[in-house]
Amino acid sequence: MLLLLHVLMLSLLSGGSAKVVKDFEKECGQFFANGKSPTRFPDPQYRQICQTLNDEVYYATFYNTSNRIPVYSAYKFEGIKNCTRIVKWYIEPQLDDNNASPNMKLEKDVKIQGLGDHQAINEDYKNSKYERGHLEPVFQAQSQGCADATFTLTNAAPQNSSFNRGQWRVLERNIAKNLSNQCPPNMYSFYIVTGVVPGTKIINNRVKVPSHFWTAYCCLDNNKKPHFSGGFIGVNENFPPEEKTVKDLETELAKLYKVESFEVFNYSTEPPAKKRK
Ligand SMILES: *[C@@H]1O[C@H](CO)[C@@H](O)[C@H](O)[C@H]1NC(C)=O
Ligand SMILES: *[C@@H]1O[C@H](CO)[C@@H](O)[C@H](O)[C@H]1NC(C)=O
Ligand SMILES: *[C@@H]1O[C@H](CO)[C@@H](O)[C@H](O)[C@H]1NC(C)=O
Ligand SMILES: *[C@@H]1O[C@H](CO)[C@@H](O)[C@H](O)[C@H]1NC(C)=O
Ligand SMILES: *[C@@H]1O[C@H](CO)[C@@H](O)[C@H](O)[C@H]1NC(C)=O
């Protein structure tokens, strides 16, 4: 009886835990290298999301409600899993109603007044020239559930369709293919952060079109020391993204976001200097 009560209370407690959270480093820090999130801006329009589908948490997103696009999504990469693309786009109920479900939901299943006030909805992308470009891509998802959970509009931003299907897609695949052997999950942990920089265009008078897409990866060994890292940034058109060290990417992002500094990974991630004999 006592046990039953205990279980009931626990389930009530966890059922109430919001997925738009105050501190995603605390609530879903497992998706950040060393448990440290990239730079978070303090202004009130930002939200921290532990991306949850059917009560499983799959990755983390820092979201800008003013632009109705994310700033970045952070996730672990555990090798190429050949997940199926199931194209059903979700939204985040808690962005428009704190008391709503902690799970991402299909728009048709959400009855909230003012749905879309603080986030993009599918309608915004209709008749725009842009596609719903994934930040965390299906190709890098670590399970089918995770692949399904990447189809949420809080993990997407208006992307040039040639870029989405062209150079950016090639990059997502190359990172996964080239680097997974060099960072096997039994010896290392592989973290990726993918983000966008807001541009000047707006679709449907509501959703900002990014000027750039960027991505950075970091492979940590079992002592949490960086084994290797790197990054890419590309304008939102179909050109090959430019390769950069994480440091140089951070410097460029600080400029583009017009902030003093921007940190993707919370310590020096330059590959260790080669030892001289
Ligand atoms: C968030 O949106 C506001 C309003 O458009 C913009 O000024 C700001 O630069 C955005 N922040 C980021 C990090 O993209
Ligand atoms: C994914 O597909 C590739 C190519 O067909 C195959 O080599 C690999 O073993 C598959 N991986 C998994 C986890 O099924
Ligand atoms: C991956 O390999 C391809 C083909 O060898 C190469 O062109 C590309 O630059 C590599 N990309 C990354 C991200 O390492
Ligand atoms: C998308 O990129 C292509 C190739 O770079 C360019 O020709 C096209 O105008 C772009 N589309 C939009 C809507 O900006
Ligand atoms: C890591 O984050 C802390 C704050 O959590 C900050 O004070 C520190 O400067 C960061 N470390 C590096 C190497 O950037």
Side-chain angles (χ1 to χ4, degrees):
M1 182 63 196
L2 215 64
L3 186 72
L4 205 80
L5 233 139
H6 200 76
V7 169
L8 189 75
M9 268 180 49
L10 270 179
S11 74
L12 278 175
L13 279 174
S14 64
S17 74
K19 288 316 160 188
V20 174
V21 298
K22 285 243 159 60
D23 181 357
F24 62 8
E25 219 173 56
K26 230 195 246 157
E27 304 272 343
C28 51
Q30 69 268 33
F31 303 113
F32 304 122
N34 254 352
K36 293 280 190 180
S37 89
T39 298
R40 287 175 280 183
F41 304 111
D43 315 67
Q45 79 261 31
Y46 297 104
R47 296 288 183 282
Q48 302 178 38
I49 306 174
C50 295
Q51 296 280 11
T52 307
L53 175 62
N54 299 327
D55 298 324
E56 291 276 339
V57 183
Y58 291 108
Y59 58 101
T61 295
F62 193 59
Y63 192 78
N64 191 347
T65 59
S66 309
N67 287 340
R68 298 190 177 89
I69 52 171
V71 183
Y72 54 77
S73 286
Y75 46 100
K76 271 187 94 170
F77 173 63
E78 291 167 1
I80 296 167
K81 308 287 188 188
N82 304 324
C83 296
T84 306
R85 285 175 64 87
I86 299 176
V87 184
K88 285 202 292 188
W89 284 95
Y90 298 99
I91 53 99
E92 177 51 54
Q94 293 195 338
L95 283 179
D96 289 314
D97 179 354
N98 289 335
N99 299 318
S101 163
N103 286 299
M104 56 180 79
K105 293 278 185 195
L106 299 174
E107 249 177 87
K108 67 174 175 62
D109 296 334
V110 180
K111 307 270 175 286
I112 296 175
Q113 248 192 342
L115 179 67
D117 283 358
H118 303 98
Q119 64 188 308
I121 56 175
N122 288 293
E123 177 77 19
D124 292 321
Y125 284 85
K126 273 191 195 137
N127 309 318
S128 85
K129 291 199 189 77
Y130 294 89
E131 294 188 341
R132 295 163 289 196
H134 279 82
L135 272 57
E136 173 169 10
V138 173
F139 200 76
Q140 295 173 354
Q142 67 268 26
S143 64
Q144 186 60 47
C146 180
D148 296 346
T150 65
F151 285 91
T152 184
L153 290 177
T154 58
N155 180 50
Q159 190 169 26
N160 179 301
S161 55
S162 327
F163 190 36
N164 190 24
R165 290 154 190 248
Q167 293 292 341
W168 190 255
R169 177 185 153 97
V170 168
L171 177 64
E172 289 169 348
R173 283 164 186 256
N174 278 348
I175 288 176
K177 285 181 183 158
N178 297 11
L179 303 177
S180 51
N181 305 342
Q182 299 171 43
C183 195
N186 54 337
M187 293 171 66
Y188 299 100
S189 303
F190 200 148
Y191 297 90
I192 302 182
V193 182
T194 298
V196 297
V197 176
T200 50
K201 288 184 196 135
I202 293 179
I203 58 171
N204 203 22
N205 229 349
R206 284 173 32 93
V207 179
K208 196 75 118 193
V209 177
S211 59
H212 298 76
F213 279 67
W214 58 267
T215 189
Y217 55 84
C218 166
C219 175
L220 299 186
D221 68 18
N222 283 337
N223 298 318
K224 313 234 182 228
K225 290 270 174 315
H227 179 45
F228 61 79
S229 65
F232 290 85
I233 184 162
V235 293
N236 195 5
E237 285 173 47
N238 194 22
F239 301 112
E242 194 184 344
E243 184 160 18
K244 294 205 175 273
T245 63
V246 171
K247 262 211 163 57
D248 287 350
L249 177 66
E250 288 173 336
T251 306
E252 178 155 1
L253 289 175
K255 259 189 233 153
L256 291 168
Y257 288 132
K258 302 189 179 71
V259 291
E260 217 157 276
S261 71
F262 187 84
E263 198 175 88
V264 179
F265 299 116
N266 178 266
Y267 46 86
S268 168
T269 46
E270 299 306 326
K274 285 212 179 75
K275 284 204 181 91
R276 282 166 198 275
K277 284 261 163 72

Coordinates of all heavy atoms in Angstrom, one line a residue, residues 13-22 27 48 50 52 92 94 98 100-102:
L13 N 4.5 13.3 -9.9 CA 5.6 14.3 -9.9 C 6.2 14.4 -11.3 O 6.3 15.4 -11.9 CB 6.7 13.9 -8.9 CG 6.3 14.3 -7.5 CD1 7.4 13.8 -6.5 CD2 6.2 15.9 -7.4
S14 N 6.5 13.2 -11.9 CA 7.2 13.2 -13.2 C 6.2 13.7 -14.3 O 6.6 14.3 -15.2 CB 7.8 11.9 -13.5 OG 6.8 10.9 -13.6
G15 N 5.0 13.3 -14.1 CA 4.0 13.7 -15.1 C 3.9 15.2 -15.1 O 3.5 15.8 -16.2
G16 N 4.2 15.9 -14.0 CA 4.0 17.3 -14.0 C 5.3 18.1 -14.5 O 5.3 19.3 -14.6
S17 N 6.4 17.3 -14.7 CA 7.6 18.0 -15.1 C 7.5 18.6 -16.5 O 7.3 17.9 -17.4 CB 8.8 17.1 -15.0 OG 8.8 16.2 -16.1
A18 N 7.7 19.9 -16.6 CA 7.5 20.5 -17.8 C 8.7 20.2 -18.8 O 9.8 20.0 -18.3 CB 7.4 22.0 -17.6
K19 N 8.5 20.3 -20.0 CA 9.6 20.1 -21.0 C 10.1 21.4 -21.5 O 11.2 21.4 -22.1 CB 9.2 19.1 -22.1 CG 9.1 17.7 -21.5 CD 10.3 17.4 -20.6 CE 10.1 16.3 -19.6 NZ 11.1 16.0 -18.6
V20 N 9.4 22.5 -21.4 CA 10.0 23.8 -21.4 C 10.4 24.1 -20.0 O 9.6 24.2 -19.1 CB 9.0 24.9 -21.9 CG1 9.6 26.2 -21.9 CG2 8.6 24.6 -23.4
V21 N 11.7 24.1 -19.8 CA 12.3 24.1 -18.4 C 13.0 25.4 -18.1 O 13.4 26.1 -19.1 CB 13.2 22.9 -18.2 CG1 12.4 21.6 -18.4 CG2 14.4 22.9 -19.2
K22 N 13.3 25.6 -16.9 CA 14.1 26.8 -16.5 C 15.5 26.6 -16.8 O 16.2 27.6 -17.2 CB 13.9 27.0 -14.9 CG 12.6 27.5 -14.5 CD 12.7 28.9 -13.9 CE 11.4 29.7 -13.9 NZ 10.4 29.0 -13.2
E27 N 18.1 19.8 -16.3 CA 17.0 18.8 -16.6 C 17.4 17.8 -17.6 O 16.8 16.7 -17.6 CB 15.8 19.6 -17.0 CG 15.3 20.6 -16.0 CD 14.3 20.1 -15.0 OE1 13.8 19.0 -15.2 OE2 14.1 20.7 -14.0
Q48 N 14.1 27.2 -23.0 CA 15.0 26.0 -23.0 C 14.1 24.8 -23.0 O 13.2 24.6 -22.1 CB 15.9 26.0 -21.7 CG 16.7 27.3 -21.6 CD 17.6 27.4 -20.4 OE1 18.1 26.4 -19.9 NE2 17.7 28.6 -19.9
C50 N 13.7 20.6 -23.3 CA 14.2 19.2 -23.3 C 13.2 18.5 -24.2 O 12.1 18.2 -23.8 CB 14.1 18.6 -21.9 SG 15.3 19.4 -20.7
T52 N 10.9 16.2 -25.9 CA 10.3 15.0 -25.4 C 9.2 14.5 -26.3 O 8.3 15.3 -26.7 CB 9.7 15.4 -24.0 OG1 10.7 15.9 -23.2 CG2 9.1 14.1 -23.3
E92 N 5.5 22.4 -30.0 CA 5.8 22.3 -28.5 C 4.6 22.9 -27.7 O 4.6 24.2 -27.6 CB 7.1 22.9 -28.3 CG 7.5 23.0 -26.8 CD 7.4 21.6 -26.1 OE1 8.0 20.7 -26.6 OE2 6.7 21.5 -25.1
Q94 N 4.0 23.4 -24.7 CA 4.3 24.3 -23.5 C 4.8 25.7 -23.9 O 4.8 26.5 -23.0 CB 5.2 23.5 -22.6 CG 4.6 22.3 -22.0 CD 5.4 21.7 -20.8 OE1 6.6 22.0 -20.7 NE2 4.7 21.0 -20.0
N98 N 1.9 26.9 -20.4 CA 2.8 26.3 -19.4 C 2.2 25.0 -18.9 O 2.9 24.1 -18.5 CB 2.9 27.2 -18.2 CG 3.8 28.3 -18.5 OD1 4.6 28.3 -19.4 ND2 3.6 29.4 -17.8
A100 N 0.3 22.8 -20.5 CA 0.0 21.8 -21.6 C 0.9 20.6 -21.4 O 1.8 20.6 -20.5 CB 0.2 22.5 -22.9
S101 N 0.7 19.7 -22.3 CA 1.5 18.4 -22.2 C 3.0 18.6 -22.3 O 3.4 19.5 -23.1 CB 1.0 17.5 -23.4 OG 2.0 16.5 -23.6
P102 N 3.8 17.9 -21.6 CA 5.2 18.0 -21.7 C 5.7 17.3 -23.0 O 6.9 17.4 -23.3 CB 5.7 17.2 -20.5 CG 4.6 16.3 -20.1 CD 3.4 16.9 -20.5

